[in-house]
Amino acid sequence: VDNTHRKIRTSDAPSLVVFDKRTGEYLARDNEPIAPNIFHCTWSAPSIGVVNGKPVIYFCGGNGIIYGFEPLATNRVERAEDTAPRNGDRLSRLKKVFEFDPDPSAPKTEVHRFTTNRRESPSNIFGMPVFLDGRLYVAGGGDIFWGKNEAWLECIDATPLGGGVRTNTIWTYTLDKHVLSTPAVIGDLVFVADCGRKMHCVERATGKALWTHDIAGEVWASPYVADGKVYLGTRSGAFYVFAANREKRLLFEHNFRVPISATTTAANGVLYIATMSQLHAVALKNP
């Protein structure tokens, strides 16, 4: 949106674009009318899954809709219709093979009239769609800056391909308030945290709540799983380590007293925690 938060200046702009990773050449874009109905911004990153032996790019648009696209052919063999000029360009158009609305009751047009409404609004998806075993795990809901407080975690059947609108929710789990996290999926568990100041552990197959934990501060980061543990930082500076188990076990808690907005990450036995002022590298002491 523009600086008034009520207008999309470039309503024909793409939301998902493709570049050559070696040269930076701009190769392709989506061909969906996403931009006019972007409620606030395009927040989510794309991910990839393989369905029936074919790779699919999954993407959550700023209009709250989840899309699946065929990847651009690596040899760039394109059909004539893919390169037909549109608005003066000859970019390839990504072929849509999947579309899903995780919040079908939400408004989809004239969305900017809801920017002062905390009870009714479109849904946003901030985190990345997580693909595993033919399913997508997506967390979304009202925008954190404006829009409804409602939030949810959904498990979606990602296997029906063909481009049509699908209604294939496997289960829905209700969250407390706005959610920015990408779900962390490990084994038969899904972990997600929300701005209702709560950490959630959900059974992957059914969406059944296994446990929750009250935490200090809103969560903008995502839970991160490594070494059988779940790591999470909050905007109040609180940092938590849980066991990645069906039973709740809080292993460690610390307050950095500086907001943590970024997801923790680990490499080579070192845990990296970025606060708003410092980057911390944490490792076990030598025996």
Side-chain angles (χ1 to χ4, degrees), residues 6 38 43 47 79 87 124 126 141 163 182 186 211 217 219 222 224 235 246 261 275:
R6 293 182 178 274
I38 291 175
W43 305 104
S47 62
R79 297 186 297 270
N87 297 331
N124 260 348
F126 286 81
T182 295
I186 179 73
W211 54 262
V219 177
S222 301
Y224 180 83
R235 291 280 295 166
R246 295 175 66 91
S261 299
T275 73

Side-chain angles (χ1 to χ4, degrees), residues 182-230:
T182 295
V185 184
I186 179 73
D188 63 346
L189 306 175
V190 183
F191 297 94
V192 70
D194 62 18
C195 289
R197 304 188 175 206
K198 193 166 286 186
M199 174 74 160
H200 304 260
C201 176
V202 178
E203 188 174 65
R204 181 163 78 96
T206 65
K208 173 187 174 183
L210 296 176
W211 54 262
T212 62
H213 188 81
D214 292 332
I215 54 181
E218 293 187 341
V219 177
W220 288 17
S222 301
Y224 180 83
V225 178
D227 192 31
K229 305 174 184 67
V230 188

